[in-house]
């Protein structure tokens, strides 16, 4: 009988925010799109790590990751994407949020971040990474 287990995760991507889409993002705003191509590797899941430069979020402040895709011909409207939210720790410091099980589709993906932290993101030191992984049946 086959037993499903986690396969060894792939290597973490380099910083995907190469055009500084997250820098100085206002509270309540959504970033521009940040691309990640999964069309060749076709991984099932990704741990998406969001690093934010030093900010002091309001009580209950949170961020939302939106995932949309392009099937090679059309790109989905951002409002149609999958969403993942995480509450930020209080206090003035750099923040790290890991969305541990983001479903990534076998297409070119578009990530965007919605800032509901209660404050503007730092102008610098904001990064986003993907560590892909799959299931292993043995």
């Amino acid at each position: 009988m086959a037993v499903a287990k986690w396969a060894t995760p792939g290597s973490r991507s380099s910083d995907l925010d190469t055009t500084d889409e997250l820098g100085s993002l206002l509270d309540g705003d959504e970033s521009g799109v940040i691309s990640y191509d999964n069309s060749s590797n076709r991984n099932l899941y990704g741990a998406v790590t969001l690093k934010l430069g030093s900010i002091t979020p309001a009580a209950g402040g949170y961020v939302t990751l939106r995932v949309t895709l392009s099937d090679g011909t059309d790109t989905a409207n951002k409002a149609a994407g999958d969403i993942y939210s995480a509450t930020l720790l209080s206090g003035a410091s750099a923040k790290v949020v890991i969305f541990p099980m983001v479903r990534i589709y076998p297409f070119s993906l578009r990530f965007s971040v919605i800032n509901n932290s209660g404050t503007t993101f730092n102008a610098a030191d904001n990064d986003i990474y993907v560590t892909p992984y799959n299931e292993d049946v043995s």
Side-chain angles (χ1 to χ4, degrees):
M1 179 168 94
V3 176
K5 301 188 263 185
W6 292 118
T8 302
S11 298
R12 184 166 101 164
S13 70
S14 57
D15 178 19
L16 300 175
D17 187 17
T18 58
T19 57
D20 199 27
E21 295 294 335
L22 302 175
S24 301
L25 185 65
L26 298 174
D27 181 49
D29 282 358
E30 183 169 3
S31 73
V33 295
I34 299 164
S35 297
Y36 177 74
D37 191 357
N38 191 41
S39 60
S40 295
N41 294 331
R42 298 185 313 236
N43 292 295
L44 296 172
Y45 311 103
V48 178
T49 303
L50 176 63
K51 291 185 170 186
L52 300 175
S54 186
I55 62 170
T56 306
Y62 64 98
V63 292
T64 300
L65 175 71
R66 186 186 309 267
V67 183
T68 55
L69 61 91
S70 172
D71 66 4
T73 303
D74 297 305
T75 299
N77 182 311
K78 283 198 318 189
D82 296 343
I83 58 171
Y84 304 85
S85 293
T87 301
L88 297 170
L89 293 174
S90 62
S93 65
K95 306 292 187 245
V96 176
V97 176
I98 300 176
F99 300 96
M101 194 167 181
V102 174
R103 181 74 175 177
I104 56 176
Y105 300 96
F107 300 103
S108 179
L109 303 174
R110 308 292 188 262
F111 295 121
S112 58
V113 175
I114 303 166
N115 176 9
N116 289 303
S117 67
T119 190
T120 300
F121 283 177
N122 197 331
D125 302 323
N126 303 299
D127 306 314
I128 188 167
Y129 305 91
V130 175
T131 304
Y133 58 97
N134 292 295
E135 296 175 7
D136 182 18
V137 179
S138 51

